[in-house]
Amino acid sequence: MIRAFGALRALAFGLVALLAAAAPASAAALDSVRVTSDAIAIDLTHAFRTYAAKGDTLSVPTAPGADGVSRMIEVSALRAGGHARWIAFALTNDTGQQVERLLVAPHYRMAGSGVVWPDLGGRRIVAVTASQGFAPRRTASQDADVFTLTLDPGSTVTYVAELGQPDVPQLYLWRPDAFQTATRELTFYQGVVIGVIGLLALFLTIVFVVRGAVVFPAAAALAWTALAYACIDFGFWRRMFGGTDATDAIWRAGAEAMLSATLIVFLFSYLNLSRWHVRYSRVTAAWIVAALALAALAVWNAPVAAGVARMSLAAVAVLGLMLVVYLATHGSERALMLIPAWIAWLGWIFAAALTVLGAVRNDFVEPALMGALTLVILLVALTVFQYAIAAGGLTPGALGDKDRKALALIGSGDVEFDWDVPGDHVHVGPEATQLLGLKRGALEGPASAWLELLHPFDRDRYAAALDGLLESRRGRINIDFRLRAVDGHHHWFTLKARPVVGGDGEVARVVGTLSDVTEAKTAEERLLQDAVNDHLTGLPNRELFLDRLAAAVAGAQAGGQRPAVMLIDVDRFKQVNEAVGLSLGDTILLTVARRVGRLVKA
């Protein structure tokens, strides 16, 4: 009997060995990770094995225990009917006492999240099953999946975790006290970052209220967007407003799209690209609308919106640097002042690209990027503040109506003309808009808005005259141009103005007068017309004929050609005037003149 039992046991061990040899490599026993008492945090990201089950159950071989035997553990999916994914890992307690550790899987990691269809986070681990000992307990957390694992002395436990996402970008085993300390320190750091960005956004908003130029709300919008982005990335947004993993993904994609849009607005407004180039305004407006559309697209497909927003952000940074360098080399002081801040932006975009592509994956890169974003916003704020200080004491909108009229009297005019150069806002008295039949305020706004109303032949002179004042910073302009009225006719105006230089030596305002000279121009044109043309028929008169004849004679003497003169006379015209009157005689002259005009070439 004993011999028979021994034979059966040998046969059983032989079958187990045969099955183990025939098993696929994926079913091999797990390598156990040693847990020591001095280990603060153990990186399990590359220590687990991934499984994909076709059904609702999975059988996994455990890590060998103290006896060297590997057993099987079978787990069932919490969500039946799906194609569950699993990970398995094993831990060995090398200490002589029971230990507790925290298994932490962050919901979102920027490192390795990708550019095209990026991973925007979510619930990573649904449940964890232990092969023996205490069952893992979930700890409440909004930012990560946290489970408490208990290991008996000298035990080796295999854990199988059901995944809620296709993969787990990071998995750590923390000592509880160390995890709490690290969480407190990280929360303090995040609070400092958010506080600094919030103060910068508030400061730029206050400067906008005081200054009023368009560059300040653009910089403030960029800072507020960066603040929202940091709050979402740090999880503060969810703590304040609630939400789920799906809403977090939507907010994150929308914030990245808005960051791209506000960066375009800041660059466009700071460089004042809309002054003369209206087409640049249209291209920028289209780009901004596309970025806002991405924010709306995030509601339906957050990964696609986030991917396009990340590519757009990189494109804005690269193209913006090219534009800033080009304008700086062509004499733009604004562009020259922006170069350090924009290089910092480009450096931040490059570091973020390396992070999302997975080239940098350490635990400090994401907090470091948020801190670097704070420094970039601070550098932008300093650039804008330097620009505000350089503008001097004259602030946009500080002059009242009486002050404008007093300055206009210096230029001796009828309608006040006041161009706030830093804010790119033209103020013109209401008399001009009434004369042209335009709506009230139609002539107020950016200087480039006048280009559509100006006669095509006068646009270049108008822009060159104002640009000349900005470059020379002194002198006066006295130019005539035509503005189109509502009925399609053009009115002549004379602009007399001079620059007002601020404390930094740059032109802060251009003030003067705008006078309607349509009647004078019409009279001048009529005098010129009457000087060389007959006032009745419109044909060249005697003086012009004699001048052309003298030129033809001089040319004949020099070149040997003989000009000919044809005389057309109306017989008995004096008797016609006496018989039927001067009115009918004039009609006959007009008729003859028109017939001759149709026959004679130019």
Side-chain angles (χ1 to χ4, degrees):
M1 187 70 177
I2 296 176
R3 291 179 180 178
F5 178 75
L8 289 174
R9 186 172 63 179
L11 180 60
F13 277 113
L15 289 174
V16 170
L18 182 62
L19 290 175
S26 60
L30 295 169
D31 294 330
S32 179
V33 177
R34 303 290 174 176
V35 180
T36 59
S37 58
D38 57 345
I40 297 176
I42 300 175
D43 189 1
L44 302 179
T45 306
H46 303 289
F48 58 78
R49 189 174 297 166
T50 305
Y51 301 89
K54 296 181 179 180
D56 297 333
T57 61
L58 176 71
S59 296
V60 178
T62 64
D67 55 0
V69 178
S70 177
R71 298 171 177 81
M72 300 295 293
I73 175 175
E74 182 174 306
V75 292
S76 298
L78 292 181
R79 297 178 292 185
H83 299 281
R85 290 179 63 85
W86 314 76
I87 61 171
F89 58 93
L91 303 176
T92 298
N93 182 8
D94 284 338
T95 65
Q97 56 186 356
Q98 187 182 75
V99 296
E100 281 191 354
R101 292 293 184 267
L102 296 180
L103 182 69
V104 180
H107 288 173
Y108 173 73
R109 281 195 88 222
M110 181 182 292
S113 59
V115 175
V116 181
W117 283 281
D119 182 358
L120 298 180
R123 192 177 182 184
R124 300 294 178 180
I125 298 178
V126 178
V128 180
T129 303
S131 62
Q132 61 173 327
F134 297 91
R137 305 185 308 275
R138 178 182 286 272
T139 302
S141 176
Q142 291 185 348
D143 304 325
D145 294 313
V146 183
F147 293 86
T148 302
L149 309 182
T150 304
L151 299 173
D152 290 328
S155 64
T156 297
V157 183
T158 299
Y159 295 94
V160 181
E162 180 185 353
L163 301 184
Q165 296 287 328
D167 57 1
V168 180
Q170 186 185 67
L171 189 66
Y172 264 81
L173 191 69
W174 280 88
R175 204 169 64 191
D177 57 339
F179 180 72
Q180 293 177 1
T181 302
T183 301
R184 285 195 299 267
E185 293 176 351
L186 180 61
T187 302
F188 175 76
Y189 171 78
Q190 292 172 346
V192 171
V193 170
I194 289 178
V196 172
I197 298 180
L199 288 176
L200 290 175
L202 185 61
F203 164 75
L204 291 172
T205 304
I206 294 174
V207 174
F208 158 60
V209 174
V210 175
R211 294 284 303 169
V214 69
V215 64
F216 301 108
L222 180 62
W224 286 115
T225 305
L227 176 63
Y229 180 72
C231 289
I232 294 169
D233 192 76
F234 291 157
F236 285 18
W237 193 274
R238 187 170 180 178
R239 294 187 182 95
M240 291 185 295
F241 303 104
T244 61
D245 294 333
T247 57
D248 277 356
I250 294 174
W251 285 118
R252 182 170 286 109
E256 292 178 356
M258 290 302 299
L259 193 62
S260 175
T262 52
L263 188 60
I264 298 171
V265 173
F266 168 74
L267 180 66
F268 185 80
S269 61
Y270 180 83
L271 296 179
N272 204 9
L273 297 179
S274 63
R275 176 172 293 171
W276 308 124
H277 306 289
V278 180
R279 60 183 180 272
Y280 293 165
S281 303
R282 295 169 182 170
V283 173
T284 304
W287 201 328
I288 294 172
V289 169
L292 296 177
L294 284 179
L297 177 63
V299 179
W300 286 274
N301 197 325
V304 172
V308 177
R310 292 180 178 185
M311 290 185 285
S312 173
L313 196 61
V316 172
V318 175
L319 296 177
L321 180 64
M322 297 170 59
L323 179 62
V324 168
V325 172
Y326 171 79
L327 294 178
T329 55
H330 285 72
S332 174
E333 295 186 4
R334 289 193 183 190
L336 189 62
M337 293 169 59
L338 190 60
I339 286 180
W342 204 262
I343 291 178
W345 260 115
L346 192 63
W348 186 86
I349 294 294
F350 180 73
L354 292 179
T355 302
V356 299
L357 292 175
V360 181
R361 287 183 172 270
N362 59 65
D363 298 332
F364 304 102
V365 62
E366 189 167 351
L369 280 176
M370 290 297 104
L373 180 61
T374 305
L375 295 179
V376 171
I377 297 297
L378 177 60
L379 191 56
V380 169
L382 290 176
T383 303
V384 174
F385 186 64
Q386 182 182 4
Y387 164 77
I389 294 228
L394 283 172
T395 59
L399 294 178
D401 186 64
K402 294 181 179 179
D403 298 326
R404 287 196 185 95
K405 290 183 177 179
L407 291 175
L409 289 176
I410 299 176
S412 68
D414 302 323
V415 180
E416 64 267 21
F417 177 91
D418 179 20
W419 180 26
D420 171 22
V421 178
D424 193 17
H425 182 84
V426 174
H427 169 83
V428 179
E431 297 85 355
T433 55
Q434 293 175 3
L435 179 64
L436 297 174
L438 302 174
K439 296 181 179 179
R440 185 178 181 86
L443 294 178
E444 297 191 7
S448 60
W450 284 41
L451 296 179
E452 296 181 358
L453 297 174
L454 283 166
H455 193 280
F457 293 161
D458 301 331
R459 292 173 183 172
D460 292 339
R461 292 193 300 108
Y462 166 78
L466 293 183
D467 281 338
L469 276 185
L470 299 184
E471 293 177 3
S472 62
R473 303 179 182 86
R474 65 178 182 271
R476 292 176 180 269
I477 58 173
N478 188 346
I479 60 171
D480 297 333
F481 50 80
R482 287 159 285 184
L483 291 176
R484 188 180 68 252
V486 174
D487 57 2
H489 292 86
H490 286 83
H491 290 253
W492 278 95
F493 289 89
T494 297
L495 175 62
K496 299 178 182 179
R498 67 178 183 84
V500 179
V501 181
D504 60 332
E506 296 293 330
V507 177
R509 309 185 87 90
V510 174
V511 294
T513 60
L514 196 66
S515 303
D516 179 23
V517 293
T518 304
E519 294 183 0
K521 283 291 183 179
T522 303
E524 180 181 350
E525 291 175 357
R526 187 180 299 112
L527 288 175
L528 292 174
Q529 178 74 12
D530 293 342
V532 294
N533 292 89
D534 181 72
H535 69 278
L536 176 62
T537 63
L539 296 177
N541 60 12
R542 181 189 303 269
E543 287 76 16
L544 184 59
F545 165 73
L546 293 176
D547 178 77
R548 298 292 174 86
L549 181 61
V553 170
Q557 293 175 352
Q561 298 179 354
R562 300 181 63 184
V565 176
M566 179 182 294
L567 175 64
I568 299 176
D569 186 31
V570 180
D571 292 338
R572 297 184 305 276
F573 186 72
K574 183 177 180 181
Q575 289 82 349
V576 171
N577 283 335
E578 293 174 352
V580 297
L582 296 177
S583 178
L584 186 58
D586 291 343
T587 303
I588 294 175
L589 284 179
L590 286 173
T591 302
V592 173
R594 289 169 183 170
R595 291 180 181 181
V596 173
R598 286 196 297 267
L599 295 175
V600 178
K601 296 182 180 180

